[in-house]
Amino acid sequence: MLFKSKEENLYRLGDIAYKIHNVVLSVRLDSILDLKKIALRSKNTEFNSKRFHGLIMRSRDPKATAIVFKSGSMICTGAKSEKDGKEAILKFVKIIRNAGFTDLKMQNYRITNIFATMDYKVPINLMQIHIAFPRITKHEPEVHRGLLYYPFDTKLLVTIYASGKITITGAKSMSILERVRNNLTNMILQMRIRNNDSDKLISY
């Protein structure tokens, strides 16, 4: 479906893609680590126990940062995709092994958060969406300029702005992002079809 706005611009709502800004992953390394030893033997690492109890490791390609704790817990952040996150973790693990911890085993690998955005590039009537979906949305314009949307009975948080921009926080898989995009598109399509006096529906 295509919609024609007041500015005569065409938008293919069903083809809107989300942009991933950050994928956070965690993994447990089955070993107690000497963080100072790893820092001394490795490049692109930072460790200052007086400031912070974790070892910071950085990767340029793929771009990502890991925080490693003495217990063996690792949190990887800054990746732009799950694939990049996995590659970065494998790279960090290899560096730690080369520092003398050769018996490392990775356990409990998982995505803990995906932050993504979308832009429908059409104005959205937030109050109308809230009235139509009161159980899964929250709209307090005097407190926050966006509408909060809570899909699937999860901890996922979606913020919808009147400009058409969307932020998605808390997704734990790519499939969840796909579901959010499909649900949002259907929701916005419903609202815009109802308001086709200002946005004329064009079939093709």
Side-chain angles (χ1 to χ4, degrees), residues 9-92:
N9 291 322
L10 295 177
Y11 300 100
R12 193 184 299 268
L13 292 188
D15 291 346
I16 295 297
Y18 48 78
K19 180 179 180 180
I20 296 176
H21 298 270
N22 187 21
V23 179
V24 182
L25 308 101
S26 67
V27 66
R28 183 168 182 80
L29 308 178
D30 189 22
S31 179
I32 300 298
L33 303 175
D34 184 335
L35 303 182
K36 184 177 180 180
K37 178 180 177 180
I38 297 170
L40 291 173
R41 296 187 178 186
S42 309
K43 295 181 180 179
N44 300 317
T45 60
E46 180 182 335
F47 179 63
N48 187 333
S49 59
K50 294 181 180 180
R51 292 184 178 181
F52 183 58
H53 295 297
L55 168 71
I56 299 174
M57 307 180 72
R58 294 183 175 87
S59 168
R60 294 182 179 178
D61 186 22
K63 188 175 181 180
T65 300
I67 301 175
V68 185
F69 297 95
K70 181 180 179 180
S71 63
S73 295
M74 177 188 289
I75 300 171
C76 179
T77 185
K80 301 298 184 183
S81 68
E82 182 179 3
K83 177 177 178 292
D84 284 354
K86 286 181 178 179
E87 289 182 3
I89 285 177
L90 291 175
K91 185 175 182 178
F92 293 136

Side-chain angles (χ1 to χ4, degrees), residues 12-20 116-120 166 168 177-178 181 185:
R12 193 184 299 268
L13 292 188
D15 291 346
I16 295 297
Y18 48 78
K19 180 179 180 180
I20 296 176
T117 59
M118 299 168 58
D119 189 354
Y120 284 100
I166 312 287
I168 305 169
L177 280 182
E178 290 289 346
R181 180 180 65 173
T185 299

